[in-house]
Amino acid sequence: MQAPVAKKIPKKLVIHNDTRIDNYYWLNDRDNPEVIEYLEKENAYTQEQMRSTEQLQKDLFGEMKSRIKEDDESVPYKFNKYWYATKYIKGGEYPIYIRKKESLNAQEEIMFDVNQMAKEYKFYQIGSISVSPDNTMACYSVDTIGRRIYSIQIKNLITGELLSDILENTTGNVVWANDNHTLFYSVQDPKTLRSSKIYKHVLGTSQKEDILLFEEKDETFTVYVTKTKSLKYIVIASGSTLTDEYRFIPADNPNAKWKIFQERIRGLEYSFDHFDDFFYILTNKDGATNFKLMKTSITETEKENWIEVIPHNEKILLEGFELFRNYLVTEERECGLTHIKIKSWDNSVTYEIPFEEEVYTVGTSVNRDFDTEIIRYRYTSMTTPWSDIDYNMRTKEKTVLKEQEVIGNFTKDNYITKRIWAKARDGVSIPMSLVMRKDTKPSKNTPLLLYAYGSYGYSMDATFSSIRLSLLDRGFIYVITHVRGGEDLGRRWYEEGKMLKKKNTFFDFIDSAEYLIKNEYTSCNHLYANGGSAGGLLMGAVINYAPKLFHGVVADVPFVDVVTTMLDENIPLTTGEYDEWGNPNQIEYYNYMKSYSPYDNVEKKEYPNMLVTTGLHDSQVQYWEPAKWVAKLRDMKTDSNLLLLQTNMDAGHGGSSGRFESLKEVALEYAFYLFLEKQEN
């Protein structure tokens, strides 16, 4: 079967006296039958090229599914007189949301059985659930396309009936006032999908009657609505990459006048929670790059009144905090690992919860109650399944409530994980988290999959994956490289991998790969790379800079047409991203973006074997970016290596919505690596 060839319709794109020719611009019309036909031809080509792996894909899918406990239930948590949990049943693709009143021995109430709700849809996703303060009703948001545009409905939890109220074109974000009758929700622009407005809705009225409370007119900002842990305040949050602004009212008075907490000042980031007579504020005020904790009275919230609680530390990133009656709990990241620190308000107790593994991930979980000495957190490593743990802050007793059950013959002692460090070309040390079977011997012939993300300050922590076992048990080494652009080593790590320093992200990945080859963990013929979304941009840049470094690359929903996308203010991921990538309407950023944008830098040369995935309804990275990229690569590359494009015609950025259906997409990617590895051997 011949590879599809997309027709060329040259389109001139001119700015800053610079002209780019885009031969595949026409692919950006999902309503054009020719576009759909082309995508379907690419899917057919991928299926044909991977036909010899069909049984392998089925085996992989079966393996991955068999490790997952089908009839499973989350650890319940108590909130406002009810215990809440999520459970799955055998054969069910979707969760069932349940609750029990007062006691875990009480009769189970099914709030939402998503298996039943999703029956008539190819894609179905519950975005959020919010229960009314009197526990009688629940708002829930639904997306049936995969574009992250949600409809909000209200269910009477006593009678089971659905109220006639339907709120359309929302982000899924919704909060109850304490009167059990008023809702606050956020709405997005229908074109850009930027969350820009907050409305107030009264039960029993039409959405047309809803009152617009706040509109964010700065196109670099987005908004949402939330409630403090104390349940005493409703908060409208407005923020961009670098700047925050909040306004609030008492939750008991939904008609109150909104008070601005602290007016926006470019570069001032802050967030807050409430406890007793104070607001506690996490902020970068006064140059606190790694953030600090401050507090202020509930009546004087402007920054002039903020008092320091935990000072700034150049070496430790303060990521978050939890407030309890007798304790302050903080999450702090140091040397790429998160630490949970406990401090009593009277300063008589200060300590850190100990963890034994060299590489791990930990974070606080659902902690709704102020009046408790128990904090709940989640722990995992690349060899230890996810565990839900209750920790007594007074006695220091630890209770493992549940460890993720891996069905089959999994034994964590059969695997090892460790931290290794690569040296970047500018002398910076890059941490990498590695996992493999104990009986896997690193060598030039050992297959290795290298993964990274590296944007938005998201730290890619080392976590357990039962799915990944299908590669590890076949002799693969799996490595996460914590490249700059994430926040793994603090805020400066992020700052060093964005805007006009974005190329550090790409070079860190390449230098990590070269370290692994030099130290004989693998070789170019057995090295594979994977990244998605902004990590897909990373994949696209890397294969332009170092095309012969990898034997195979999987780029999931890749952001690869950087310049064109960032110049189009009518699509998502543009104006709100200027502080991440830069604004190409300014020539300095335009030139820098153009110098690394994967689509703009495709050349006539050899490229590695590639599998590229996308979703037709993707709202984050539009499907046409990977489609155009593949078309251009197919036209220009000089090798005979595989180049495959797989489009999910029924989903968006996150792929298929079902619990197990998404495993088929992973099975295809794993089969791709294994197919190439078999050929190489």
Side-chain angles (χ1 to χ4, degrees), residues 321-322 329 331 340 362-367 375-378:
F321 65 95
E322 284 277 3
V329 178
E331 290 179 89
I340 296 179
V362 70
T364 56
S365 183
V366 181
N367 293 282
I375 182 171
R376 180 170 295 178
Y377 66 85
R378 300 198 80 204

Side-chain angles (χ1 to χ4, degrees), residues 52-53 83 152 154 206 298 394 443 468 488 501 571 613:
S52 65
T53 71
W83 288 92
I152 294 174
I154 301 101
S206 166
I298 58 176
R394 178 178 56 83
S443 72
R468 190 189 299 139
D488 309 73
K501 296 181 179 180
I571 60 175
T613 70

Side-chain angles (χ1 to χ4, degrees), residues 229-249:
K229 180 177 176 177
S230 65
L231 307 179
K232 291 188 176 181
Y233 295 97
I234 292 169
V235 181
I236 293 176
S238 186
S240 68
T241 305
L242 298 174
T243 309
D244 296 303
E245 182 180 77
Y246 294 82
R247 38 188 44 82
F248 64 99
I249 58 170

Side-chain angles (χ1 to χ4, degrees), residues 453-458 483-486 493-509 534-535 537-538 541 545 559 562 580-582 589 592-593 595-597:
Y453 183 72
S455 290
Y456 300 104
Y458 293 161
V483 295
R484 280 173 282 186
W493 199 248
Y494 170 40
E495 300 290 345
E496 290 293 314
K498 61 182 288 197
M499 303 288 275
L500 297 173
K501 296 181 179 180
K502 187 64 209 169
K503 289 181 184 179
N504 282 336
T505 304
F506 316 141
F507 297 148
D508 284 359
F509 192 86
L537 161 65
L538 172 58
Y545 285 120
F559 172 43
V562 183
E580 179 71 27
W581 312 102
Y589 291 106
Y592 189 75
M593 278 183 194
S595 73
Y596 71 74
S597 173

Side-chain angles (χ1 to χ4, degrees), residues 19-34:
T19 300
R20 292 178 300 130
I21 304 296
D22 189 345
N23 289 321
Y24 306 105
Y25 189 90
W26 66 275
L27 284 170
N28 74 348
D29 180 7
R30 66 168 53 84
D31 295 323
N32 182 346
E34 286 189 73

Side-chain angles (χ1 to χ4, degrees), residues 21-240:
I21 304 296
D22 189 345
N23 289 321
Y24 306 105
Y25 189 90
W26 66 275
L27 284 170
N28 74 348
D29 180 7
R30 66 168 53 84
D31 295 323
N32 182 346
E34 286 189 73
V35 171
I36 301 301
E37 181 184 8
Y38 170 71
L39 296 177
E40 289 175 340
K41 283 181 178 179
E42 286 284 4
N43 281 354
Y45 179 71
T46 296
Q47 184 177 11
E48 178 62 29
Q49 293 299 306
M50 296 296 289
R51 190 172 300 281
S52 65
T53 71
E54 285 181 354
Q55 187 58 50
L56 174 60
Q57 290 181 56
K58 290 177 182 177
D59 292 343
L60 288 165
F61 172 77
E63 279 178 25
M64 293 185 283
K65 183 179 179 181
S66 70
R67 295 191 196 102
I68 299 172
K69 192 173 189 292
E70 290 200 53
D71 52 340
D72 202 4
E73 187 172 325
S74 66
V75 175
Y77 67 89
K78 194 173 185 181
F79 175 63
N80 193 20
K81 301 179 182 179
Y82 278 84
W83 288 92
Y84 290 89
T86 303
K87 72 175 186 178
Y88 291 89
I89 57 174
K90 194 168 184 178
E93 283 278 351
Y94 295 95
I96 300 172
Y97 296 95
I98 63 171
R99 68 176 185 172
K100 296 179 181 181
K101 189 173 183 179
E102 298 288 359
S103 168
L104 288 171
N105 296 320
Q107 183 177 354
E108 175 182 291
E109 298 178 27
I110 295 179
M111 300 165 61
F112 301 99
D113 183 345
V114 186
N115 296 293
Q116 298 299 319
M117 299 162 72
K119 272 187 173 179
E120 298 180 9
Y121 299 92
K122 292 182 178 179
F123 182 96
Y124 195 93
Q125 188 172 68
I126 295 277
S128 64
I129 295 172
S130 179
V131 178
S132 62
D134 65 4
N135 294 310
T136 63
M137 290 174 287
C139 295
Y140 67 101
S141 59
V142 175
D143 174 14
T144 58
I145 296 176
R147 200 155 171 77
R148 299 182 182 179
I149 302 173
Y150 293 90
S151 296
I152 294 174
Q153 290 188 264
I154 301 101
K155 182 178 182 179
N156 185 315
L157 296 176
I158 309 303
T159 66
E161 70 173 319
L162 293 180
L163 277 62
S164 59
D165 309 55
I166 299 179
L167 310 177
E168 303 285 5
N169 192 40
T170 81
T171 65
N173 167 224
V174 59
V175 169
W176 289 91
N178 288 348
D179 66 355
N180 303 292
H181 199 64
T182 308
L183 299 172
F184 301 89
Y185 64 98
S186 53
V187 166
Q188 54 202 338
D189 183 279
K191 281 189 176 181
T192 66
L193 303 187
R194 180 176 71 92
S195 179
S196 58
K197 297 177 181 178
I198 303 294
Y199 281 91
K200 179 172 69 176
H201 175 79
V202 177
L203 293 189
T205 64
S206 166
Q207 186 177 12
K208 294 178 181 178
E209 300 174 50
D210 290 354
I211 297 172
L212 176 64
L213 298 174
F214 177 70
E215 180 177 6
E216 179 52 76
K217 295 186 177 179
D218 187 326
E219 293 183 345
T220 67
F221 280 67
T222 59
V223 297
Y224 66 92
V225 62
T226 187
K227 213 173 194 178
T228 58
K229 180 177 176 177
S230 65
L231 307 179
K232 291 188 176 181
Y233 295 97
I234 292 169
V235 181
I236 293 176
S238 186
S240 68

